[in-house]
Amino acid sequence: GKALVPIFLLASRPPSTAFSATTMSAQRLSEFYPTVFKELPSMEGKTVAITGTSRGLGYVTALALAKKGARLFLLNRPSARAQEALVELAAASSSGVPPQLIECDNLSFESVRNAAATLREATETSGLDVLCCNAGIMMQPDRASTDGYDITISTNVLSHFLLTREMMPNLRRAAALRGEARIVTMSSGSGFGAPAFNARFYAPGSGGNCGGDQASYERYHQSKLANLLFTSSLHDKLRKEHDSSQGHIKALACTPGLCGTDMFLHVSSTKGRPADLSTVPSVEDGACAMLKCICSPEIESGELWGPPGMEGAPVKIRWQPIVLADEQSKVRLWEACEGAVGAFEL
């Protein structure tokens, strides 16, 4: 596995924002985050792993959890920004245990397996209380990952499916020790509605042959629908195997609504106009549903949380009729993921 990066090996740098880009205006003040953060319980004694924490929603979520006392593992592609974020999150941590960075590139199944091996070893005794599958990309070219799959599908879906499978023993360990563990998957309102799940986007070797650049949004929709299908199917499977004496693993999904992340900046740039951050909620507000799914004691397995529309305080969202999560689609998604990374049996 890849070695963890000790915080003391990184030079201290001034804090930076969760994103940076040329924009028309400053980000809006957070409207809901202050209240949501205040109401979150302490996370002391809890271990949380999050993918994609260098910027945006993952960074804001990790920062909140650091302040709440969680022990953090940050799964990121190697970059200067990942190291800067590690320093900033360590400075904010109230747990006394510095966060640890694990190299994880969702465009390579080998990298994900190595990251999982490192994370398993590091949390063998404590267990893993929360695995947060957050990393994501949007509106990307029709290109192949290292393993021959579409880069959006690999990043958003397949690598998280693989990571979840690899971390199940440690999630079970935390559930047995402390009564529960959680798998939280970041989806999007882009996954709502039609078209239904299409397995052709998951065919081996299909990367670079998934509709061209003009189908970039369709690939993103398919990936975000898959996140929802995965959570719903995982909830069903976990419920069947539930043994109260061994604790309970909750499968949860969330959406951020529209907010001023790098994705918003990227989509704005593809339309040939600078982003106006004053027109959308802050990244902090976009992270509220994910934070509730990670921390809030009242959250139940199988739930979907997010703003009631494009923005707003997080609420529980009804799956039907907006999510096309019929049984056949759930089975086909699970089979497609297993075809890419191997069997995931519960």
Side-chain angles (χ1 to χ4, degrees):
K2 299 291 184 182
L4 300 173
V5 179
I7 187 65
F8 56 80
L9 292 181
L10 301 176
S12 179
R13 302 189 183 187
S16 61
T17 57
F19 61 87
S20 60
T22 301
T23 63
M24 290 176 60
S25 60
Q27 187 171 172
R28 263 163 51 177
L29 293 176
S30 298
E31 184 177 354
F32 308 106
Y33 175 83
T35 299
V36 169
F37 177 81
K38 183 178 179 180
E39 293 176 349
L40 294 176
S42 169
M43 292 295 285
E44 291 183 9
K46 299 288 184 70
T47 299
V48 182
I50 314 173
T51 63
T53 65
S54 297
R55 308 166 75 85
L57 295 165
Y59 176 83
V60 167
T61 298
L63 183 61
L65 294 173
K67 293 177 179 178
K68 288 291 181 178
R71 178 191 182 201
L72 291 175
F73 289 89
L74 316 172
L75 279 63
N76 295 309
R77 291 176 297 176
S79 70
R81 176 56 203 155
Q83 296 187 341
E84 291 171 0
L86 178 62
V87 172
E88 295 162 14
L89 293 169
S93 176
S94 65
S95 70
V97 180
Q100 292 175 287
L101 177 63
I102 299 177
E103 180 180 326
C104 184
D105 183 352
N106 277 18
L107 292 179
S108 164
F109 297 154
E110 180 182 9
S111 176
V112 175
R113 289 189 180 97
N114 289 339
T118 301
L119 182 58
R120 278 199 310 273
E121 182 178 359
T123 60
E124 183 177 8
T125 301
S126 66
L128 181 62
D129 294 276
V130 183
L131 174 61
C132 185
C133 301
N134 164 75
I137 57 176
M138 178 183 187
M139 302 292 284
Q140 295 296 313
D142 188 359
R143 294 178 184 167
S145 70
T146 301
D147 306 281
Y149 293 90
D150 173 68
I151 59 174
T152 299
I153 297 298
S154 177
T155 300
N156 297 2
V157 185
L158 296 176
S159 287
H160 284 136
F161 183 91
L162 171 59
L163 181 63
T164 302
R165 184 192 72 192
E166 295 294 301
M167 295 312 303
M168 285 304 297
N170 297 53
L171 289 159
R172 294 187 197 282
R173 172 70 173 163
L177 289 172
R178 290 177 288 280
E180 71 161 57
R182 303 184 184 196
I183 300 160
V184 178
T185 299
M186 173 58 77
S187 182
S188 166
S190 295
F192 297 166
F197 176 75
N198 189 335
R200 77 178 181 89
F201 292 98
Y202 295 78
S206 60
N209 189 30
C210 286
D213 292 356
Q214 65 269 25
S216 61
Y217 183 80
E218 184 179 5
R219 293 191 295 275
Y220 182 66
H221 164 78
Q222 286 289 330
S223 76
K224 294 292 102 177
L225 171 59
N227 293 151
L228 297 168
L229 294 171
F230 170 66
T231 295
S232 182
S233 185
L234 185 61
H235 166 69
D236 293 342
K237 294 174 184 292
L238 290 168
R239 183 173 54 183
K240 290 178 182 178
E241 69 150 28
H242 177 52
D243 179 353
S244 59
S245 67
Q246 297 300 311
H248 181 37
I249 300 177
K250 297 178 178 179
L252 304 158
C254 53
T255 70
L258 186 62
C259 58
T261 62
D262 281 350
M263 281 190 180
F264 174 75
L265 300 176
H266 172 64
V267 172
S268 295
S269 71
T270 64
K271 296 180 179 179
R273 62 172 185 263
D276 185 354
L277 293 178
S278 69
T279 64
V280 295
S282 69
V283 179
E284 286 183 336
D285 280 351
C288 286
M290 182 153 58
L291 284 168
K292 286 187 71 72
C293 286
I294 292 170
C295 304
S296 295
E298 69 270 16
I299 301 289
E300 297 293 339
S301 183
E303 290 183 352
L304 167 61
W305 282 74
M310 297 297 284
E311 59 182 273
V315 297
K316 184 169 68 173
I317 299 172
R318 292 176 59 89
W319 286 78
Q320 301 297 337
I322 63 171
V323 181
L324 301 182
D326 58 277
E327 292 305 314
Q328 182 181 15
S329 292
K330 290 193 288 187
V331 169
R332 292 175 68 206
L333 178 277
W334 202 271
E335 290 176 344
C337 291
E338 287 188 324
V341 303
F344 183 176
E345 297 179 359
L346 292 167

